[in-house]
Amino acid sequence: MIIKFKNDVKENEIDIIRKYLLNKGFELHESTGKTTKLIGVIGDTASFDPNSLYAYEFIDTVLRIQEPFKKVNRKFKPDDTIVDVSGVKIGGKKVVIMGGPCAVESESQIDEIIPIIKASGAKILRGGAYKPRTSPYSFQGLGDEGLDILQKASKKYNIPIVTEIMSVEDIPKFIEKVDLIQVGTRNMQNFALLKELGKIDKPILLKRGLSSTIEEWLMSAEYILDGGNKNVILCERGIRTYETSTRNTLDISSIPVIKKLTHLPIIVDPSHASGRWEYVESLSLAAIAAGADGLIIEVHQSPETALSDGQQSLKPDKFNNLIKKCKKIAQAIEKDL
Ligand code: PEP
Ligand code: MN
């Protein structure tokens, strides 16, 4: 971190800052130019908020050099993290596809879809039991019943499940019944939830907040790792922009940025990113080409009658074709699918 003082700073004012920072255990390197006085601050500045220094009237600029995240930072762990979701490894050389309906609607729906998505090559079943819906009048999910349907199907068909958690009180149920716990876009900064998820060791799928920067997203992941849970997978699901022709805008560039900044795996959700089934295939291919470790895709046997997100759900044959094409892209960049 570098601190630049205003030109009329007084020696006793610089001394206030010196003492303050030395007291916090930092090492200081000072340099004085003709008009400019600088202090370079060396040490672990991750837990220090540089903006707090602007409270002093004689501070001109504070520049952060080191990222504010530590445990998720690739500088502190250069090797890719590979997260094991009940035997399915996410990260490294593999591309993993997760598929299933937006919401669990019935036992027969799940029973029917699992063999279909498995035959296409999906390794993890998705399906929401507790649904965060924009309107309180929309289908809210089957709740506990939905979770039981997923657990039963997971055992019967031997496939891990990913489903969204909405409240801290549900954590014990999720530990018992779910393989990968999803934190949805709306809860990315629910810090109380993130702290509790940091205390367990189940894998967490952390979706990007719909208006969050990459740094904010990584700081949320930092909460979970800081609590002790290292099993975090990031999920880019599109962000809100001024564009209205898609539900969100898929930030493809977040994939290489995430790969540079962190060792955590990243998957992409082209369904919520686009909001339309017609765009899901193109975005999936682009995501794999850009280096994503997997995809999470909404699939429904009858999108026209789906209780949520039918407009962005693929029919089984389209899902099957999409995976065939994804395999070719994966091969071209020397990855396995
Ligand atoms: C979901 O995956 O079911 C979902 C609601 O996604 P998001 O949190 O990205 O909107
Ligand atoms: Mn959905």
Side-chain angles (χ1 to χ4, degrees), residues 105-243:
E105 298 170 6
S106 67
E107 191 168 338
S108 60
Q109 171 217 22
I110 296 298
D111 268 349
E112 205 183 304
I113 201 81
I114 293 181
I116 294 174
I117 62 149
K118 272 185 95 170
S120 295
K123 296 282 186 280
I124 297 178
L125 171 75
R126 67 145 289 146
Y130 308 87
K131 293 301 303 172
R133 303 305 299 279
T134 303
S135 165
Y137 309 117
S138 302
F139 175 58
Q140 301 288 306
L142 296 180
D144 290 355
E145 190 195 341
L147 207 56
D148 290 340
I149 291 174
L150 286 171
Q151 187 194 22
K152 198 170 155 196
S154 164
K155 285 195 180 136
K156 188 166 161 193
Y157 297 96
N158 190 27
I159 184 168
I161 51 174
V162 53
T163 193
E164 178 167 352
I165 193 160
M166 298 233 285
S167 89
V168 169
E169 297 91 76
D170 289 336
I171 291 178
K173 278 188 268 190
F174 273 66
I175 293 178
E176 191 198 329
K177 300 180 181 180
V178 174
D179 301 280
L180 174 58
I181 303 178
Q182 177 174 323
V183 175
T185 196
R186 296 157 188 84
N187 272 309
M188 189 205 83
Q189 285 191 320
N190 180 340
F191 300 117
L193 180 61
L194 299 178
K195 279 185 192 169
E196 291 304 313
L197 293 173
K199 295 181 187 158
I200 65 176
D201 60 7
K202 273 266 167 186
I204 310 296
L205 182 65
L206 181 65
K207 292 190 120 187
R208 180 176 181 179
L210 66 159
S211 299
S212 297
T213 62
I214 291 174
E215 187 171 294
E216 286 164 341
W217 186 17
L218 289 177
M219 291 309 286
S220 289
E222 185 82 12
Y223 264 91
I224 303 173
L225 268 78
D226 190 48
N229 187 352
K230 297 188 175 73
N231 302 308
V232 174
I233 302 163
L234 300 167
C235 178
E236 167 62 57
R237 47 79 69 206
I239 47 174
R240 180 162 290 181
T241 66
Y242 50 78
E243 182 52 64

Side-chain angles (χ1 to χ4, degrees), residues 293-304:
D293 297 297
L295 300 170
I296 181 164
I297 297 176
E298 289 186 337
V299 189
H300 200 282
Q301 38 290 57
S302 164
E304 301 85 351

